[in-house]
Amino acid sequence: MVTPVWQETDTGVLRLPSGRTVRGRGLRRPLPPGPEPDFAVYLLGKQPPEVPWEARWLRWPDFRLPGDRAQAREIFREVWNRAETERVEVACGGGRGRTGTALACIAVLDGVPAEEAVDFVRAHYDHRAVETPWQRRYVRHFGR
């Protein structure tokens, strides 16, 4: 079992079945109290502001899907790998649609069946995560 690097009491933390933890959040809200991430992925239609930790930007317009699906898969795999030993954050503007979709895809990488990943994220992260039908479909097909 992996020792979590985020505490479950930290705001927005999703604990995956493997024990890895990933924090999801909305960038329109202030940075939550507690430790800063070691690594972050920002899912936005435009380049995010600079942060003092290592970060990647995945171009992903609000309510849509990632612009480059191969790059998205690579980045989600990197998040999953790094979450074993680092504090990793995934964030978009509101912290629900794009962030929830990314977290569901990361859950698939962690072994959650693709057909159950949206429900998993809604149960363990935010009950309104993954906002659109095409985001739900993207997660279902992510496992293939």
Side-chain angles (χ1 to χ4, degrees):
M1 185 68 138
V2 176
T3 302
V5 292
W6 290 111
Q7 300 301 313
E8 289 185 53
T9 55
D10 291 332
T11 303
V13 172
L14 173 67
R15 178 189 276 281
L16 296 165
S18 67
R20 288 172 169 89
T21 54
V22 178
R23 180 172 75 185
R25 77 177 177 102
L27 295 171
R28 289 191 295 265
R29 292 188 286 278
L31 188 66
E36 294 179 342
D38 299 309
F39 174 70
V41 172
Y42 298 117
L43 316 165
L44 298 168
K46 62 181 182 175
Q47 189 161 354
E50 292 289 319
V51 291
W53 47 82
E54 185 181 355
R56 293 211 197 306
W57 169 42
L58 177 60
R59 185 181 298 276
W60 190 335
D62 202 6
F63 296 107
R64 299 192 189 268
L65 297 174
D68 183 332
R69 307 233 177 130
Q71 180 191 30
R73 184 175 283 279
E74 274 180 38
I75 288 174
F76 298 159
R77 171 123 352 244
E78 182 176 9
V79 167
W80 183 81
N81 284 325
R82 293 179 75 157
E84 186 171 14
T85 59
E86 298 176 67
R87 286 186 308 274
V88 179
E89 168 177 274
V90 175
C92 65
R96 290 196 175 108
R98 293 167 286 182
T99 296
T101 302
L103 291 173
C105 292
I106 294 162
V108 170
L109 293 172
D110 199 64
V112 175
E115 302 76 31
E116 299 171 21
V118 171
D119 289 337
F120 176 84
V121 170
R122 286 178 174 170
H124 299 285
Y125 168 67
D126 186 312
H127 71 279
R128 293 176 286 179
V130 191
E131 294 175 315
T132 67
W134 42 92
Q135 289 171 341
R136 287 190 296 274
R137 188 169 40 252
Y138 178 74
V139 173
R140 277 196 315 273
H141 292 284
F142 186 80
R144 296 181 186 163

